[in-house]
Amino acid sequence: MKNVYTTSLNLQNTDFGLLLFRLFIGGLMLTHGVPKLLTFFGDGEIVFADPIGIGETVTFTFAVFAEFVCAILIIFGWATRFAAIPLIITMAVAAIIVHWTDGFGRQELPLLYMGGFLLLFFTGAGKFSLDYYLLKKN
């Protein structure tokens, strides 16, 4: 009987797992990025936290870039490690600075996202990605 507790390092399964992970985490991040993008290009005044003192507009622009543009890059697996960096920073600021006094319940989601983007930073996008198909050596 096969031991169900062993770790399989089947690279095809790993690459497929990374694809699914990118689709889920990028898609879920878009649910935060799309409303910010619509606000960014809307007529209303931008009211956003400035937790690190660089200005509301700059902070909001960075958040839109991370949560919308970088989330799309993650989904397609293009410049994945680069795209993960702004997302890691944004989630770290949200968890550690913005929600510091709110308790773990409000910190949990940004920490989960940050962990996922850290995973993609260290592993890359995998074989089923634009990174692989456009940059592979013939």
Side-chain angles (χ1 to χ4, degrees), residues 1-118:
M1 177 186 214
K2 184 177 177 183
N3 187 349
V4 295
Y5 300 107
T6 61
T7 301
S8 170
L9 293 178
N10 181 323
L11 293 182
Q12 186 171 1
N13 288 346
T14 301
D15 289 325
F16 185 69
L18 285 171
L19 169 66
L20 289 176
F21 186 74
R22 285 192 350 261
L23 293 174
F24 276 96
I25 199 164
L28 289 170
M29 182 53 62
L30 278 178
T31 66
H32 301 277
V34 169
K36 285 182 179 74
L37 181 72
L38 295 175
T39 301
F40 187 78
F41 288 111
D43 294 336
E45 181 182 350
I46 295 174
V47 178
F48 198 70
D50 183 22
I52 56 176
I54 58 175
E56 287 181 10
T57 305
V58 175
T59 303
F60 189 68
T61 302
F62 184 80
V64 169
F65 173 74
E67 295 179 14
F68 183 78
V69 175
C70 292
I72 290 175
L73 292 173
I74 294 284
I75 288 169
F76 287 105
W78 177 244
T80 304
R81 287 187 166 116
F82 168 76
I85 294 170
L87 287 160
I88 292 165
I89 294 168
T90 302
M91 294 301 104
V93 168
I96 298 168
I97 298 173
V98 174
H99 295 297
W100 182 255
T101 59
D102 297 337
F104 184 70
R106 296 283 297 193
Q107 294 172 320
E108 185 178 11
L109 186 60
L111 288 172
L112 282 168
Y113 276 120
M114 187 176 73
F117 295 125
L118 280 166

